[in-house]
Amino acid sequence: MKVAELLRLNGAMMKKMSEHDVRMDDWRFAGLYDEYAKMRAEGMKYSVAVYRLAERYGVSEATVERTVRRLGKEC
């Protein structure tokens, strides 16, 4: 499959994703966001959840914070 074919197949979805600031690598962090939401629902403090997810996913705490903020937006 050529890239152009992939774009034609998924063009509408990719346009919508672009309109809502979804980034190419955000698919990697869907699980991170789910874990964050579960931790917070269970009463874990924000800073502790961010720290644990940063350790688990091997990214900085700032990356976790930005990702959670971005993926938590309504679209």
Side-chain angles (χ1 to χ4, degrees), residues 9-40:
L9 288 172
N10 297 302
M13 179 181 60
M14 293 177 77
K15 180 179 176 185
K16 186 60 97 173
M17 292 170 66
S18 177
E19 291 169 357
H20 292 284
D21 193 31
V22 178
R23 298 184 181 168
M24 290 292 288
D25 289 338
D26 279 347
W27 63 269
R28 299 181 318 159
F29 298 117
L32 180 147
Y33 182 80
D34 293 339
E35 287 182 51
Y36 168 80
K38 182 180 176 188
M39 289 173 170
R40 294 293 287 156

